[in-house]
């Protein structure tokens, strides 16, 4: 296994391959390490990266809402490209959605139990709905 040593990003020569972290450190890659990194990215479907717009569609919210979620640290992200566009893991977005839905179902069940204990579930729904038919 190769041991990577970080250096300041300012010391990377133009045209060199490297991986960088948010703290300004860079990890230079030789040709073989770069090839393996590309292979891992291309072949690892579990780490499929998607745009914030695609995440918004999965979550059923706006891209602006996804941006707020990312800023709040609710979903991890990375920045890609010259513009620094944010990308997120599809698997993490789906997991976030499933967790949110689960919390919603739990909250609804808690409200149903409270209504039942408070005697608020004695409504004749047939008669209630008949008023609107």
């Amino acid at each position: 296994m190769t041991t990577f040593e970080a250096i300041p990003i300012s010391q990377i020569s133009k045209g060199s391959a490297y991986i960088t972290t948010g703290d300004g450190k860079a990890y230079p890659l030789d040709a073989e390490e770069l090839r393996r990194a590309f292979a891992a990215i291309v072949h690892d479907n579990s780490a499929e990266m998607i745009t914030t717009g695609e995440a918004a569609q999965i979550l059923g919210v706006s891209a602006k809402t996804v941006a707020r979620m990312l800023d709040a640290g609710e979903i991890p992200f990375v920045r890609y490209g010259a513009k620094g566009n944010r990308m997120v893991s599809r698997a993490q977005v789906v997991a976030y959605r499933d967790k949110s839905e689960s919390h919603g179902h739990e909250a609804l069940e808690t409200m149903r139990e409270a209504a039942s204990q408070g005697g608020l579930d004695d409504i004749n729904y047939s008669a209630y709905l008949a008023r609107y038919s």
Side-chain angles (χ1 to χ4, degrees):
M1 175 173 228
T2 304
T3 302
F4 292 101
E5 192 171 318
I7 62 173
I9 199 166
S10 60
Q11 293 180 8
I12 297 290
S13 59
K14 186 172 182 170
S16 296
Y18 63 93
I19 296 173
T20 186
T21 58
D23 61 357
K25 299 279 186 184
Y27 296 85
L29 301 174
D30 64 26
E32 177 59 20
E33 292 165 340
L34 179 62
R35 187 195 64 72
R36 287 196 320 246
F38 272 121
I41 291 168
V42 170
H43 296 295
D44 186 3
N45 290 336
S46 66
E48 179 185 1
M49 301 303 281
I50 60 175
T51 65
T52 55
E54 292 168 314
Q57 289 177 337
I58 291 170
L59 296 172
V61 299
S62 72
K64 185 108 173 136
T65 298
V66 171
R68 285 192 293 269
M69 291 172 164
L70 300 182
D71 291 339
E74 295 175 23
I75 301 173
F77 68 93
V78 294
R79 290 195 180 270
Y80 284 115
K83 293 182 181 179
N85 295 329
R86 293 191 274 197
M87 303 288 286
V88 294
S89 161
R90 178 183 298 278
Q92 289 180 336
V93 170
V94 170
Y96 180 87
R97 180 197 62 197
D98 293 347
K99 182 179 173 185
S100 294
E101 288 176 357
S102 175
H103 285 297
H105 292 297
E106 290 171 11
L108 182 57
E109 188 56 36
T110 300
M111 287 186 276
R112 284 184 181 139
E113 288 175 18
S116 178
Q117 291 172 358
L120 301 175
D121 62 349
D122 294 340
I123 298 171
N124 181 342
Y125 292 104
S126 298
Y128 177 79
L129 294 174
R131 295 185 350 203
Y132 298 101
S133 299

